[in-house]
Amino acid sequence: NGLENPKTGYSTEASNFGDLAMTDESAALINIFFGKQQCEKNAWGKPERMPQNVAVLGAGLMGAGIATVSLEKFPKVVLKDISDTALSSGINAEWPLRPGKYNS
């Protein structure tokens, strides 16, 4: 029992950890971690100038959400959709959460 004899507990833990570290699942998780780290690196460096305008195509749930978040960083955000009904739904669903940040 590891509680009564800590050395035995540490030894058992180290052995079991070693076994777990060698599984296919562990290798997959390690690859996911390193892949995520690589994706977060910007291979092109800092932009010469920041974009001032953003256009989002599609005013569905995702498009409206992206447009709403973009309002925090960009002075002009354009939300476009194939139909006026969908565009109105997107604006009504998300943009009222940011009063005073858009023109209708």
Side-chain angles (χ1 to χ4, degrees):
N1 185 335
L3 294 176
E4 294 171 7
N5 186 351
K7 284 188 178 184
T8 304
Y10 296 145
S11 176
T12 303
E13 182 180 8
S15 175
N16 289 338
F17 182 82
D19 292 341
L20 286 173
M22 301 307 294
T23 63
D24 291 340
E25 292 82 3
S26 177
L29 289 170
I30 290 168
N31 284 332
I32 289 170
F33 171 78
F34 285 121
K36 180 180 175 289
Q37 294 290 352
Q38 190 64 35
C39 288
E40 290 177 357
K41 294 179 181 176
N42 182 352
W44 295 280
K46 189 171 182 163
E48 291 179 20
R49 59 187 172 87
M50 287 300 292
Q52 296 298 305
N53 304 320
V54 173
V56 180
L57 301 178
L61 183 62
M62 185 181 291
I66 292 169
T68 301
V69 171
S70 298
L71 286 169
E72 298 297 322
K73 291 204 171 226
F74 302 101
K76 184 176 179 185
V77 177
V78 176
L79 182 60
K80 294 271 213 180
D81 201 285
I82 196 166
S83 76
D84 290 339
T85 305
L87 184 59
S88 294
S89 295
I91 290 172
N92 292 333
E94 292 285 339
W95 288 31
L97 300 175
R98 305 289 196 271
K101 294 288 285 183
Y102 65 94
N103 295 326
S104 53

